[in-house]
Amino acid sequence: MIKALSFLLLLVACVSTPSEAKLSILRPQPAVGFNVSHVQSTGTCSYTVDITTSCSSTRYTRDQISISFGDVYGNQIYAPRLDDPSAKTFESCSTDTFEIYGPCAYQICYVYLYRTGPDGWKPESVKIYSHNSRAVSFYYNTFIPSDIWYGFNLCQNGSSSHRQCACGWFIYVVVGLLVSLLL
């Protein structure tokens, strides 16, 4: 009976841990120390960037919007001005598509947006397509602060967060086995 209870505890621990890891939601952060002057000019590749503006954003924005994204190897793509108020860019509930050229990167793992101006702007998501890697999506759904690079850097966090999840799962297994041996 006690061994069956221990086995059940072990099973619950193994099943519940991965679902808990899925509950952690990444949020965009200010890019501390980020510098667009490191843009490389080696090779020219094309990137398609879809930016969806949230329906809870201002109706339209006159703000200047820039984007920078890249890979873990330092290949950085930068577009200094995506906005065009005369073309109704970044209106609420809309998706704008941009063709951006820059150095050839591997898997895109970070993206930062920069906004300057009086109106405010709330992107819902940024999706980046390239020929060298799979499409990647970043979900903002928050207003971008003015005059600061703001976004996601998963280049270093991706593998380390996976290791934390695996480590947490492993601890549950070891504790479950120790409990079953003691009983």
Side-chain angles (χ1 to χ4, degrees):
M1 173 71 177
I2 294 177
K3 287 193 177 191
L5 184 60
S6 299
F7 178 73
L8 184 61
L9 177 65
L10 177 64
L11 185 63
V12 168
C14 290
V15 171
S16 68
T17 303
S19 63
E20 289 173 0
K22 292 177 188 175
L23 292 177
S24 64
I25 297 172
L26 297 175
R27 298 191 187 278
Q29 301 290 322
V32 179
F34 181 71
N35 189 349
V36 294
S37 68
H38 293 108
V39 176
Q40 299 175 355
S41 59
T42 57
T44 301
C45 288
S46 169
Y47 301 89
T48 301
V49 178
D50 289 342
I51 300 177
T52 301
T53 299
S54 172
C55 292
S56 59
S57 184
T58 54
R59 189 171 154 227
Y60 65 92
T61 187
R62 296 166 292 172
D63 295 352
Q64 297 176 10
I65 309 294
S66 303
I67 190 170
S68 183
F69 56 91
D71 65 15
V72 72
Y73 301 106
N75 297 305
Q76 184 180 75
I77 298 87
Y78 170 60
R81 290 285 303 268
L82 297 176
D83 54 289
D84 184 0
S86 65
K88 299 183 178 183
T89 309
F90 303 126
E91 287 187 328
S92 64
C93 296
S94 69
T95 299
D96 297 290
T97 301
F98 304 93
E99 196 71 22
I100 299 173
Y101 296 91
C104 297
Y106 294 95
Q107 183 61 49
I108 302 301
C109 57
Y110 74 85
V111 64
Y112 292 114
L113 296 170
Y114 187 90
R115 179 192 70 80
T116 186
D119 294 333
W121 175 59
K122 183 179 181 180
E124 185 174 298
S125 64
V126 175
K127 191 164 189 175
I128 303 169
Y129 304 87
S130 76
H131 297 292
N132 295 339
S133 63
R134 69 188 193 291
V136 61
S137 296
F138 299 90
Y139 297 97
Y140 279 80
N141 206 28
T142 190
F143 281 93
I144 302 297
S146 186
D147 301 317
I148 187 167
W149 287 100
Y150 197 71
F152 300 89
N153 184 348
L154 307 178
C155 297
Q156 298 166 348
N157 296 344
S159 61
S160 63
S161 66
H162 174 70
R163 274 186 263 134
Q164 284 178 336
C165 176
C167 181
W169 180 82
F170 180 73
I171 289 171
Y172 278 118
V173 170
V174 169
V175 169
L177 287 173
L178 287 175
V179 168
S180 67
L181 290 174
L182 292 173
L183 300 174

